[in-house]
Amino acid sequence: NAGNTGDIVNQFKGRVNYDFYIARTELSNLSYCKFLNSVANLSDPYGLYDENMEKGACGGIIRRAANGIFIYSCKSGYELMPVVYVNYYDIARYANWMHYGCPIGQCIIGVTEGTADKGAYDTSDYESVRYGKKEAYEIFGKRNEGALYWIPSEDEWYKAAYHNPTKIGNRKYYDFPTQTSNAPSLEDANYMLDNHFSIGGPYYLSSVDSFENSPSYYGTLQQGGNVWEWIEDWQYGQVGSRGLRGGSWSYTSYGLNAVNTDPGGINDSGYVFGARICKSTTVEGWKPVKTPLLARLYEYLLTMPKNHLIFLIVGLSSIVLLSGILCLIFICLFLKRR
């Protein structure tokens, strides 16, 4: 459904002008373990493994040293639970690794690192921005053209979660990613409702393929609840605060709602921070597609504050009226000369 109209009640979020794939599930500990064993077995210069993955709440990955190498394994029972304690850079490097075809090697260009014209993400500024040597900037951490795998943008994530092109009415979106505009029950999503948890201890997390009875229209699972998922956009456009979407097992229904984008700091990771990955539909990789001018103008006018819109209408009306008066004066002068 490329080129779908955005959500009319939420600043037209959800418009995506190209086809793309998004993972049906959140990234699991099992998948992330494969990544770590491929790229961080001799050294881990960028902290792709966080010790909290073993010791912290909800962590599901163990690291052990043996014969000069690191070996990563999942805790028993955590294999299909979402990986947590990952920051934005971890996931960008995971996307690079996927883009390169999941090679075995160290954290270098062609394995986890990229440049402006190589890989899914240019990682050259990551450490400078992370440690305050350089200020974050608008395109910092955004995918390269030609990316085969990437972190979803807010519009991509939003469309996958809330859009339904067959929905009756002018608004083709739901408020929740379970094909409903009513808060889901605890049987349909893993979150906190009336101070009760859907799963509870000791795990609190649900496996990434759970809640199959409440998918989005496009078939994604748990875009609401379980763990927050990183998105590529800055929260509300504020450079330096990356967005997180979907809520978590320890958050209320507001986190699942379409209106909410939570903030994620430059170096944030936590026991409820996870991820979901997108994939290109072509071997050429992702390419931006501009929104048609008339569609952009329509959306701009509908999202404009009412007082600004009134001012614009009055201004345009005044210009039209003044133009008419000037034309009339010109015609009168022309006729008088004749």
Short mmCIF file of all heavy atoms in Angstrom, two decimals, residues 143-199:
data_model
loop_
_atom_site.label_atom_id
_atom_site.label_comp_id
_atom_site.label_asym_id
_atom_site.label_seq_id
_atom_site.Cartn_x
_atom_site.Cartn_y
_atom_site.Cartn_z
N ARG A 143 19.72 6.04 8.12
CA ARG A 143 20.20 5.02 7.18
C ARG A 143 20.79 5.62 5.91
O ARG A 143 20.43 6.72 5.49
CB ARG A 143 19.05 4.09 6.81
CG ARG A 143 18.08 4.69 5.80
CD ARG A 143 16.79 3.93 5.69
NE ARG A 143 15.96 4.11 6.86
CZ ARG A 143 14.62 4.01 6.85
NH1 ARG A 143 13.96 3.75 5.73
NH2 ARG A 143 13.93 4.19 7.95
N ASN A 144 21.65 4.87 5.27
CA ASN A 144 22.18 5.21 3.96
C ASN A 144 21.20 4.81 2.87
O ASN A 144 20.48 3.81 3.01
CB ASN A 144 23.50 4.47 3.70
CG ASN A 144 24.64 5.00 4.53
OD1 ASN A 144 24.65 6.14 4.96
ND2 ASN A 144 25.65 4.15 4.75
N GLU A 145 21.20 5.54 1.79
CA GLU A 145 20.48 5.08 0.61
C GLU A 145 21.12 3.78 0.16
O GLU A 145 22.34 3.64 0.12
CB GLU A 145 20.56 6.13 -0.49
CG GLU A 145 19.67 5.83 -1.67
CD GLU A 145 19.53 7.00 -2.64
OE1 GLU A 145 19.55 8.15 -2.17
OE2 GLU A 145 19.41 6.74 -3.86
N GLY A 146 20.29 2.81 -0.19
CA GLY A 146 20.79 1.49 -0.56
C GLY A 146 20.84 0.50 0.58
O GLY A 146 21.24 -0.66 0.39
N ALA A 147 20.41 0.92 1.78
CA ALA A 147 20.39 0.00 2.93
C ALA A 147 19.47 -1.18 2.64
O ALA A 147 18.35 -1.01 2.15
CB ALA A 147 19.92 0.74 4.18
N LEU A 148 19.94 -2.37 2.96
CA LEU A 148 19.14 -3.58 2.79
C LEU A 148 18.35 -3.91 4.06
O LEU A 148 17.30 -4.54 4.00
CB LEU A 148 20.03 -4.76 2.40
CG LEU A 148 20.77 -4.62 1.06
CD1 LEU A 148 21.71 -5.80 0.85
CD2 LEU A 148 19.78 -4.50 -0.09
N TYR A 149 18.89 -3.51 5.21
CA TYR A 149 18.22 -3.67 6.50
C TYR A 149 18.38 -2.37 7.27
O TYR A 149 19.38 -1.68 7.12
CB TYR A 149 18.84 -4.82 7.31
CG TYR A 149 18.64 -6.19 6.70
CD1 TYR A 149 19.50 -6.67 5.73
CD2 TYR A 149 17.56 -6.99 7.10
CE1 TYR A 149 19.31 -7.93 5.16
CE2 TYR A 149 17.37 -8.25 6.54
CZ TYR A 149 18.23 -8.70 5.57
OH TYR A 149 18.03 -9.94 5.02
N TRP A 150 17.39 -2.04 8.11
CA TRP A 150 17.49 -0.79 8.85
C TRP A 150 16.51 -0.76 10.02
O TRP A 150 15.62 -1.60 10.13
CB TRP A 150 17.23 0.40 7.92
CG TRP A 150 15.84 0.43 7.31
CD1 TRP A 150 14.69 0.95 7.88
CD2 TRP A 150 15.44 -0.08 6.03
NE1 TRP A 150 13.63 0.79 7.02
CE2 TRP A 150 14.06 0.17 5.88
CE3 TRP A 150 16.12 -0.72 4.99
CZ2 TRP A 150 13.34 -0.20 4.74
CZ3 TRP A 150 15.41 -1.09 3.86
CH2 TRP A 150 14.04 -0.83 3.74
N ILE A 151 16.70 0.21 10.87
CA ILE A 151 15.78 0.48 11.98
C ILE A 151 14.59 1.24 11.40
O ILE A 151 14.77 2.18 10.62
CB ILE A 151 16.48 1.33 13.06
CG1 ILE A 151 17.69 0.57 13.62
CG2 ILE A 151 15.51 1.69 14.19
CD1 ILE A 151 18.64 1.45 14.41
N PRO A 152 13.36 0.89 11.73
CA PRO A 152 12.22 1.57 11.11
C PRO A 152 12.13 3.04 11.47
O PRO A 152 12.43 3.44 12.60
CB PRO A 152 11.00 0.80 11.65
CG PRO A 152 11.48 0.09 12.86
CD PRO A 152 12.93 -0.19 12.64
N SER A 153 11.74 3.84 10.49
CA SER A 153 11.39 5.23 10.77
C SER A 153 10.08 5.25 11.54
O SER A 153 9.38 4.24 11.64
CB SER A 153 11.22 6.02 9.46
OG SER A 153 10.05 5.58 8.77
N GLU A 154 9.73 6.42 12.06
CA GLU A 154 8.45 6.49 12.78
C GLU A 154 7.29 6.18 11.85
O GLU A 154 6.35 5.47 12.23
CB GLU A 154 8.26 7.88 13.41
CG GLU A 154 6.95 7.99 14.17
CD GLU A 154 7.02 8.91 15.35
OE1 GLU A 154 7.49 10.06 15.17
OE2 GLU A 154 6.59 8.51 16.45
N ASP A 155 7.32 6.69 10.62
CA ASP A 155 6.22 6.44 9.68
C ASP A 155 6.12 4.96 9.33
O ASP A 155 5.02 4.41 9.25
CB ASP A 155 6.39 7.28 8.41
CG ASP A 155 6.05 8.75 8.63
OD1 ASP A 155 5.14 9.03 9.43
OD2 ASP A 155 6.69 9.60 8.00
N GLU A 156 7.26 4.31 9.11
CA GLU A 156 7.25 2.88 8.79
C GLU A 156 6.70 2.08 9.97
O GLU A 156 5.84 1.20 9.79
CB GLU A 156 8.66 2.42 8.45
CG GLU A 156 9.19 2.96 7.14
CD GLU A 156 10.69 2.83 6.99
OE1 GLU A 156 11.38 2.56 8.01
OE2 GLU A 156 11.20 3.00 5.87
N TRP A 157 7.19 2.38 11.15
CA TRP A 157 6.74 1.65 12.34
C TRP A 157 5.25 1.90 12.56
O TRP A 157 4.48 0.96 12.84
CB TRP A 157 7.54 2.12 13.55
CG TRP A 157 7.46 1.22 14.75
CD1 TRP A 157 8.36 0.28 15.13
CD2 TRP A 157 6.40 1.17 15.72
NE1 TRP A 157 7.93 -0.35 16.28
CE2 TRP A 157 6.73 0.17 16.65
CE3 TRP A 157 5.20 1.87 15.88
CZ2 TRP A 157 5.91 -0.14 17.75
CZ3 TRP A 157 4.37 1.56 16.96
CH2 TRP A 157 4.73 0.55 17.87
N TYR A 158 4.84 3.15 12.43
CA TYR A 158 3.45 3.55 12.68
C TYR A 158 2.51 2.86 11.69
O TYR A 158 1.45 2.35 12.08
CB TYR A 158 3.36 5.07 12.52
CG TYR A 158 2.10 5.72 13.05
CD1 TYR A 158 2.10 6.35 14.29
CD2 TYR A 158 0.94 5.75 12.30
CE1 TYR A 158 0.96 6.98 14.76
CE2 TYR A 158 -0.20 6.37 12.76
CZ TYR A 158 -0.20 6.99 14.00
OH TYR A 158 -1.34 7.62 14.47
N LYS A 159 2.90 2.85 10.42
CA LYS A 159 2.05 2.21 9.41
C LYS A 159 1.87 0.72 9.72
O LYS A 159 0.76 0.19 9.68
CB LYS A 159 2.65 2.39 8.02
CG LYS A 159 1.85 1.71 6.91
CD LYS A 159 2.44 1.99 5.55
CE LYS A 159 1.60 1.32 4.46
NZ LYS A 159 2.09 1.63 3.10
N ALA A 160 2.98 0.04 10.01
CA ALA A 160 2.91 -1.39 10.29
C ALA A 160 2.03 -1.68 11.51
O ALA A 160 1.34 -2.70 11.55
CB ALA A 160 4.31 -1.95 10.51
N ALA A 161 2.05 -0.78 12.48
CA ALA A 161 1.32 -1.02 13.72
C ALA A 161 -0.17 -0.69 13.63
O ALA A 161 -1.01 -1.45 14.11
CB ALA A 161 1.95 -0.21 14.86
N TYR A 162 -0.51 0.44 13.02
CA TYR A 162 -1.85 1.00 13.17
C TYR A 162 -2.67 1.08 11.88
O TYR A 162 -3.89 1.25 11.94
CB TYR A 162 -1.76 2.41 13.76
CG TYR A 162 -1.00 2.48 15.05
CD1 TYR A 162 0.24 3.13 15.12
CD2 TYR A 162 -1.49 1.90 16.22
CE1 TYR A 162 0.95 3.21 16.32
CE2 TYR A 162 -0.79 1.95 17.41
CZ TYR A 162 0.44 2.62 17.45
OH TYR A 162 1.15 2.68 18.63
N HIS A 163 -2.05 0.97 10.72
CA HIS A 163 -2.77 1.20 9.46
C HIS A 163 -3.58 -0.02 9.03
O HIS A 163 -3.17 -1.16 9.25
CB HIS A 163 -1.74 1.54 8.37
CG HIS A 163 -2.35 1.88 7.04
ND1 HIS A 163 -2.11 1.15 5.90
CD2 HIS A 163 -3.16 2.89 6.68
CE1 HIS A 163 -2.77 1.70 4.89
NE2 HIS A 163 -3.41 2.76 5.34
N ASN A 164 -4.73 0.25 8.42
CA ASN A 164 -5.54 -0.79 7.79
C ASN A 164 -6.26 -0.15 6.60
O ASN A 164 -7.22 0.60 6.79
CB ASN A 164 -6.56 -1.37 8.77
CG ASN A 164 -7.44 -2.45 8.13
OD1 ASN A 164 -7.42 -2.64 6.92
ND2 ASN A 164 -8.22 -3.14 8.94
N PRO A 165 -5.80 -0.40 5.38
CA PRO A 165 -6.39 0.26 4.21
C PRO A 165 -7.83 -0.12 3.96
O PRO A 165 -8.54 0.57 3.22
CB PRO A 165 -5.48 -0.19 3.06
CG PRO A 165 -4.92 -1.50 3.53
CD PRO A 165 -4.74 -1.34 5.01
N THR A 166 -8.31 -1.22 4.56
CA THR A 166 -9.69 -1.68 4.33
C THR A 166 -10.65 -1.18 5.41
O THR A 166 -11.84 -1.48 5.36
CB THR A 166 -9.74 -3.22 4.29
OG1 THR A 166 -9.45 -3.74 5.60
CG2 THR A 166 -8.74 -3.78 3.30
N LYS A 167 -10.12 -0.46 6.38
CA LYS A 167 -10.95 0.01 7.49
C LYS A 167 -12.03 0.97 6.99
O LYS A 167 -11.77 1.85 6.17
CB LYS A 167 -10.07 0.70 8.53
CG LYS A 167 -10.76 1.08 9.84
CD LYS A 167 -9.71 1.56 10.84
CE LYS A 167 -10.34 2.00 12.16
NZ LYS A 167 -11.04 3.27 12.05
N ILE A 168 -13.25 0.82 7.50
CA ILE A 168 -14.37 1.67 7.10
C ILE A 168 -14.18 3.08 7.65
O ILE A 168 -13.75 3.26 8.79
CB ILE A 168 -15.71 1.09 7.62
CG1 ILE A 168 -15.90 -0.34 7.09
CG2 ILE A 168 -16.87 1.98 7.21
CD1 ILE A 168 -15.97 -0.44 5.60
N GLY A 169 -14.49 4.09 6.84
CA GLY A 169 -14.41 5.47 7.29
C GLY A 169 -13.21 6.20 6.71
O GLY A 169 -12.37 5.61 6.01
N ASN A 170 -13.11 7.49 7.00
CA ASN A 170 -12.03 8.31 6.45
C ASN A 170 -10.69 8.01 7.10
O ASN A 170 -9.64 8.14 6.47
CB ASN A 170 -12.36 9.80 6.63
CG ASN A 170 -13.53 10.24 5.78
OD1 ASN A 170 -13.75 9.69 4.70
ND2 ASN A 170 -14.30 11.21 6.26
N ARG A 171 -10.71 7.64 8.36
CA ARG A 171 -9.46 7.35 9.06
C ARG A 171 -9.12 5.87 8.95
O ARG A 171 -9.86 5.01 9.45
CB ARG A 171 -9.57 7.75 10.54
CG ARG A 171 -8.23 7.62 11.27
CD ARG A 171 -8.37 7.78 12.77
NE ARG A 171 -7.07 7.63 13.42
CZ ARG A 171 -6.88 7.15 14.64
NH1 ARG A 171 -7.93 6.78 15.37
NH2 ARG A 171 -5.67 7.06 15.14
N LYS A 172 -8.02 5.57 8.30
CA LYS A 172 -7.62 4.19 8.05
C LYS A 172 -6.62 3.69 9.10
O LYS A 172 -5.76 2.86 8.80
CB LYS A 172 -7.01 4.07 6.65
CG LYS A 172 -7.91 4.54 5.53
CD LYS A 172 -9.19 3.71 5.43
CE LYS A 172 -10.04 4.15 4.26
NZ LYS A 172 -11.31 3.37 4.17
N TYR A 173 -6.76 4.16 10.30
CA TYR A 173 -5.82 3.80 11.37
C TYR A 173 -6.59 3.45 12.64
O TYR A 173 -7.69 3.96 12.89
CB TYR A 173 -4.87 4.96 11.68
CG TYR A 173 -3.89 5.25 10.58
CD1 TYR A 173 -4.24 6.03 9.49
CD2 TYR A 173 -2.59 4.72 10.61
CE1 TYR A 173 -3.34 6.27 8.46
CE2 TYR A 173 -1.69 4.97 9.60
CZ TYR A 173 -2.07 5.76 8.52
OH TYR A 173 -1.18 6.00 7.51
N TYR A 174 -5.98 2.58 13.44
CA TYR A 174 -6.46 2.27 14.78
C TYR A 174 -5.63 3.04 15.80
O TYR A 174 -4.55 3.54 15.49
CB TYR A 174 -6.34 0.77 15.07
CG TYR A 174 -7.11 -0.13 14.15
CD1 TYR A 174 -6.46 -0.86 13.16
CD2 TYR A 174 -8.49 -0.27 14.27
CE1 TYR A 174 -7.16 -1.71 12.31
CE2 TYR A 174 -9.21 -1.11 13.42
CZ TYR A 174 -8.53 -1.82 12.44
OH TYR A 174 -9.23 -2.65 11.61
N ASP A 175 -6.11 3.09 17.03
CA ASP A 175 -5.35 3.72 18.11
C ASP A 175 -4.35 2.75 18.74
O ASP A 175 -3.39 3.18 19.38
CB ASP A 175 -6.29 4.26 19.19
CG ASP A 175 -7.06 5.47 18.73
OD1 ASP A 175 -6.55 6.21 17.86
OD2 ASP A 175 -8.19 5.68 19.22
N PHE A 176 -4.60 1.44 18.56
CA PHE A 176 -3.73 0.43 19.16
C PHE A 176 -3.29 -0.57 18.09
O PHE A 176 -4.03 -0.83 17.12
CB PHE A 176 -4.44 -0.28 20.32
CG PHE A 176 -4.71 0.62 21.48
CD1 PHE A 176 -5.91 1.31 21.59
CD2 PHE A 176 -3.74 0.82 22.46
CE1 PHE A 176 -6.14 2.18 22.65
CE2 PHE A 176 -3.96 1.67 23.52
CZ PHE A 176 -5.16 2.36 23.62
N PRO A 177 -2.11 -1.17 18.25
CA PRO A 177 -1.57 -2.05 17.21
C PRO A 177 -2.14 -3.46 17.23
O PRO A 177 -1.47 -4.41 16.81
CB PRO A 177 -0.07 -2.05 17.52
CG PRO A 177 0.00 -1.85 18.99
CD PRO A 177 -1.14 -0.94 19.33
N THR A 178 -3.36 -3.59 17.73
CA THR A 178 -4.03 -4.89 17.79
C THR A 178 -5.33 -4.85 16.99
O THR A 178 -6.26 -5.59 17.29
CB THR A 178 -4.32 -5.26 19.26
OG1 THR A 178 -4.99 -4.15 19.90
CG2 THR A 178 -3.03 -5.55 20.01
N GLN A 179 -5.37 -3.95 16.00
CA GLN A 179 -6.55 -3.74 15.16
C GLN A 179 -7.78 -3.35 15.97
O GLN A 179 -8.89 -3.85 15.76
CB GLN A 179 -6.84 -4.99 14.31
CG GLN A 179 -5.73 -5.33 13.33
CD GLN A 179 -6.13 -6.40 12.34
OE1 GLN A 179 -6.97 -6.17 11.48
NE2 GLN A 179 -5.52 -7.58 12.47
N THR A 180 -7.54 -2.44 16.92
CA THR A 180 -8.64 -1.91 17.71
C THR A 180 -8.31 -0.49 18.16
O THR A 180 -7.13 -0.14 18.28
CB THR A 180 -8.91 -2.79 18.95
OG1 THR A 180 -9.94 -2.19 19.73
CG2 THR A 180 -7.66 -2.92 19.80
N SER A 181 -9.34 0.29 18.39
CA SER A 181 -9.14 1.63 18.95
C SER A 181 -9.50 1.65 20.42
O SER A 181 -9.58 2.72 21.04
CB SER A 181 -9.95 2.67 18.17
OG SER A 181 -9.33 2.91 16.91
N ASN A 182 -9.73 0.48 20.99
CA ASN A 182 -9.91 0.34 22.43
C ASN A 182 -8.67 -0.35 23.00
O ASN A 182 -8.06 -1.21 22.36
CB ASN A 182 -11.14 -0.51 22.74
CG ASN A 182 -12.41 0.12 22.24
OD1 ASN A 182 -12.63 1.33 22.41
ND2 ASN A 182 -13.25 -0.66 21.58
N ALA A 183 -8.28 0.05 24.20
CA ALA A 183 -7.11 -0.56 24.83
C ALA A 183 -7.29 -2.08 24.89
O ALA A 183 -8.35 -2.57 25.30
CB ALA A 183 -6.91 0.00 26.23
N PRO A 184 -6.27 -2.84 24.47
CA PRO A 184 -6.40 -4.30 24.48
C PRO A 184 -6.47 -4.87 25.89
O PRO A 184 -6.04 -4.23 26.86
CB PRO A 184 -5.13 -4.76 23.76
CG PRO A 184 -4.15 -3.65 23.96
CD PRO A 184 -4.96 -2.39 23.98
N SER A 185 -6.99 -6.06 25.99
CA SER A 185 -6.99 -6.75 27.26
C SER A 185 -5.60 -7.33 27.51
O SER A 185 -4.75 -7.35 26.62
CB SER A 185 -8.02 -7.89 27.25
OG SER A 185 -7.57 -8.95 26.42
N LEU A 186 -5.38 -7.83 28.72
CA LEU A 186 -4.09 -8.44 29.04
C LEU A 186 -3.91 -9.78 28.33
O LEU A 186 -2.82 -10.35 28.35
CB LEU A 186 -3.95 -8.63 30.55
CG LEU A 186 -3.87 -7.33 31.37
CD1 LEU A 186 -3.67 -7.64 32.85
CD2 LEU A 186 -2.74 -6.43 30.87
N GLU A 187 -4.95 -10.27 27.68
CA GLU A 187 -4.82 -11.48 26.87
C GLU A 187 -4.38 -11.16 25.45
O GLU A 187 -4.06 -12.07 24.67
CB GLU A 187 -6.16 -12.23 26.84
CG GLU A 187 -6.59 -12.77 28.19
CD GLU A 187 -7.92 -13.49 28.12
OE1 GLU A 187 -8.56 -13.44 27.05
OE2 GLU A 187 -8.32 -14.11 29.14
N ASP A 188 -4.35 -9.85 25.11
CA ASP A 188 -4.00 -9.45 23.75
C ASP A 188 -2.70 -8.67 23.65
O ASP A 188 -2.23 -8.38 22.55
CB ASP A 188 -5.14 -8.59 23.16
CG ASP A 188 -6.40 -9.40 22.93
OD1 ASP A 188 -6.29 -10.56 22.54
OD2 ASP A 188 -7.50 -8.86 23.16
N ALA A 189 -2.12 -8.30 24.78
CA ALA A 189 -0.86 -7.56 24.77
C ALA A 189 -0.21 -7.66 26.14
O ALA A 189 -0.90 -7.78 27.16
CB ALA A 189 -1.09 -6.10 24.39
N ASN A 190 1.10 -7.57 26.17
CA ASN A 190 1.87 -7.68 27.42
C ASN A 190 2.19 -6.29 27.94
O ASN A 190 3.19 -5.69 27.56
CB ASN A 190 3.15 -8.47 27.17
CG ASN A 190 3.95 -8.67 28.46
OD1 ASN A 190 3.44 -8.47 29.56
ND2 ASN A 190 5.20 -9.05 28.31
N TYR A 191 1.31 -5.78 28.81
CA TYR A 191 1.52 -4.46 29.41
C TYR A 191 0.84 -4.42 30.77
O TYR A 191 0.31 -5.43 31.24
CB TYR A 191 1.01 -3.37 28.48
CG TYR A 191 -0.50 -3.22 28.39
CD1 TYR A 191 -1.14 -2.13 28.96
CD2 TYR A 191 -1.28 -4.16 27.70
CE1 TYR A 191 -2.52 -1.97 28.87
CE2 TYR A 191 -2.65 -4.02 27.60
CZ TYR A 191 -3.27 -2.91 28.19
OH TYR A 191 -4.64 -2.77 28.10
N MET A 192 0.87 -3.25 31.40
CA MET A 192 0.30 -3.13 32.73
C MET A 192 -1.08 -2.48 32.65
O MET A 192 -1.22 -1.38 32.08
CB MET A 192 1.21 -2.29 33.63
CG MET A 192 0.73 -2.19 35.07
SD MET A 192 1.90 -1.32 36.14
CE MET A 192 1.83 0.34 35.47
N LEU A 193 -2.07 -3.14 33.19
CA LEU A 193 -3.44 -2.64 33.19
C LEU A 193 -3.99 -2.71 34.62
O LEU A 193 -4.01 -3.79 35.22
CB LEU A 193 -4.30 -3.48 32.25
CG LEU A 193 -5.78 -3.10 32.15
CD1 LEU A 193 -5.95 -1.69 31.59
CD2 LEU A 193 -6.53 -4.11 31.28
N ASP A 194 -4.37 -1.55 35.13
CA ASP A 194 -4.89 -1.48 36.50
C ASP A 194 -3.93 -2.14 37.50
O ASP A 194 -4.34 -2.89 38.39
CB ASP A 194 -6.27 -2.16 36.59
CG ASP A 194 -7.30 -1.46 35.73
OD1 ASP A 194 -7.20 -0.23 35.55
OD2 ASP A 194 -8.21 -2.15 35.22
N ASN A 195 -2.65 -1.82 37.33
CA ASN A 195 -1.58 -2.32 38.21
C ASN A 195 -1.41 -3.84 38.16
O ASN A 195 -0.81 -4.44 39.07
CB ASN A 195 -1.81 -1.88 39.66
CG ASN A 195 -1.66 -0.38 39.81
OD1 ASN A 195 -0.75 0.23 39.25
ND2 ASN A 195 -2.55 0.24 40.58
N HIS A 196 -1.93 -4.47 37.11
CA HIS A 196 -1.73 -5.90 36.91
C HIS A 196 -0.88 -6.12 35.65
O HIS A 196 -1.04 -5.41 34.66
CB HIS A 196 -3.07 -6.63 36.75
CG HIS A 196 -3.87 -6.66 38.02
ND1 HIS A 196 -4.78 -5.68 38.36
CD2 HIS A 196 -3.89 -7.56 39.03
CE1 HIS A 196 -5.33 -5.98 39.53
NE2 HIS A 196 -4.81 -7.12 39.97
N PHE A 197 0.02 -7.10 35.71
CA PHE A 197 0.86 -7.43 34.56
C PHE A 197 0.24 -8.58 33.78
O PHE A 197 -0.39 -9.47 34.34
CB PHE A 197 2.26 -7.83 35.02
CG PHE A 197 3.01 -6.74 35.72
CD1 PHE A 197 3.46 -6.93 37.02
CD2 PHE A 197 3.25 -5.53 35.11
CE1 PHE A 197 4.16 -5.92 37.68
CE2 PHE A 197 3.95 -4.53 35.75
CZ PHE A 197 4.40 -4.71 37.05
N SER A 198 0.49 -8.55 32.49
CA SER A 198 -0.01 -9.63 31.64
C SER A 198 0.72 -10.94 31.92
O SER A 198 0.10 -12.00 32.00
CB SER A 198 0.15 -9.25 30.16
OG SER A 198 -0.28 -10.30 29.33
N ILE A 199 2.04 -10.88 32.09
CA ILE A 199 2.86 -12.09 32.29
C ILE A 199 3.25 -12.25 33.75
O ILE A 199 3.07 -13.29 34.35
CB ILE A 199 4.12 -12.06 31.41
CG1 ILE A 199 3.74 -11.89 29.93
CG2 ILE A 199 4.96 -13.31 31.63
CD1 ILE A 199 2.91 -13.00 29.37
#
